[in-house]
């Protein structure tokens, strides 16, 4: 059963977290392009798709810690420091994504769609603050770094008996 749970945990992590990290990383630059060329609906559509991917796969990503906890329980490592650290970092990544990245993406998308607080520059361009997209890129980098750290902990597992 442990091998099955571990397989599910790894597959869900790859399938769920991978798309979120890529889509969230691409979002700030796509938003800047869409703001610079509002006449092309294609750029706005790209931003919408990236946000949808981020949002949907964030929901799917909830299965990662659930499968991980089930795996850890079957392996009898729930009290291991590396696992507790991974749980804390996973919770931090979830907070960054759910409370900072996704709402910021939504605000940028609302501005680009003309329903937010963005301003028209007079040339038909929508003013999406560079600081907003830079902050969003930084938050996404933090999210990605948290997941990379969790991944390393899952592979290296201090005190592992794998001999690796």
């Amino acid at each position: 059963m442990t091998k099955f749970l571990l397989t599910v945990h790894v597959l869900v992590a790859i399938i769920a977290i991978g798309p979120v990290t890529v889509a969230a990383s691409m979002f700030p630059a796509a938003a800047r392009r869409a703001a610079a060329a509002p006449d092309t609906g294609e750029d706005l559509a790209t931003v919408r798709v990236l946000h949808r991917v981020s949002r949907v796969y964030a929901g799917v990503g909830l299965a990662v810690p659930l499968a991980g906890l089930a795996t850890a329980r079957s392996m009898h490592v729930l009290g291991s420091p590396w696992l507790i650290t991974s749980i804390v970092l996973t919770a931090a990544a979830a907070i960054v994504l759910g409370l900072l990245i996704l709402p910021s993406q939504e605000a940028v998308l609302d501005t680009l769609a003309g329903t937010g607080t963005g301003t028209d520059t007079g040339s038909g361009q929508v003013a999406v603050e560079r600081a907003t997209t830079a902050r969003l890129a930084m938050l996404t980098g933090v999210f990605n770094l948290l997941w990379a750290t969790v991944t390393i902990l899952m592979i290296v597992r201090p005190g592992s008996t794998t001999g690796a």
Side-chain angles (χ1 to χ4, degrees), residues 1 36-37 72-73 76 90 125 131 144:
M1 188 60 154
R73 184 175 174 186
H76 308 289
T90 297
Q125 294 179 329
N144 293 343

Side-chain angles (χ1 to χ4, degrees), residues 65-86:
L66 295 176
L69 288 172
T71 303
R73 184 175 174 186
S74 74
M75 294 174 70
H76 308 289
V77 294
L78 280 173
S80 298
W82 64 269
L83 183 67
I84 293 167
T85 302
S86 294

Side-chain angles (χ1 to χ4, degrees), residues 14-126:
I14 291 167
I15 291 167
I17 305 306
V20 172
T21 59
V22 171
S25 296
M26 292 174 65
F27 186 94
R32 285 191 292 272
R33 280 192 306 274
D39 296 336
T40 65
E42 186 175 317
D43 289 323
L44 181 57
T46 299
V47 175
R48 282 188 175 126
V49 167
L50 291 172
H51 175 62
R52 187 176 310 123
V53 168
S54 298
R55 190 180 69 242
V56 169
Y57 281 91
V60 174
L62 294 173
V64 175
L66 295 176
L69 288 172
T71 303
R73 184 175 174 186
S74 74
M75 294 174 70
H76 308 289
V77 294
L78 280 173
S80 298
W82 64 269
L83 183 67
I84 293 167
T85 302
S86 294
I87 291 169
V88 169
L89 294 175
T90 297
I95 289 167
V96 169
L97 181 62
L99 298 180
L100 300 173
I101 293 173
L102 293 176
S104 294
Q105 284 183 351
E106 216 161 287
V108 167
L109 194 53
D110 288 346
T111 299
L112 291 171
T115 60
T117 58
T119 56
D120 191 335
T121 62
S123 63
Q125 294 179 329
V126 178

Side-chain angles (χ1 to χ4, degrees), residues 13 18 72 94 107 114 141 147 161:
W147 273 114
T161 58

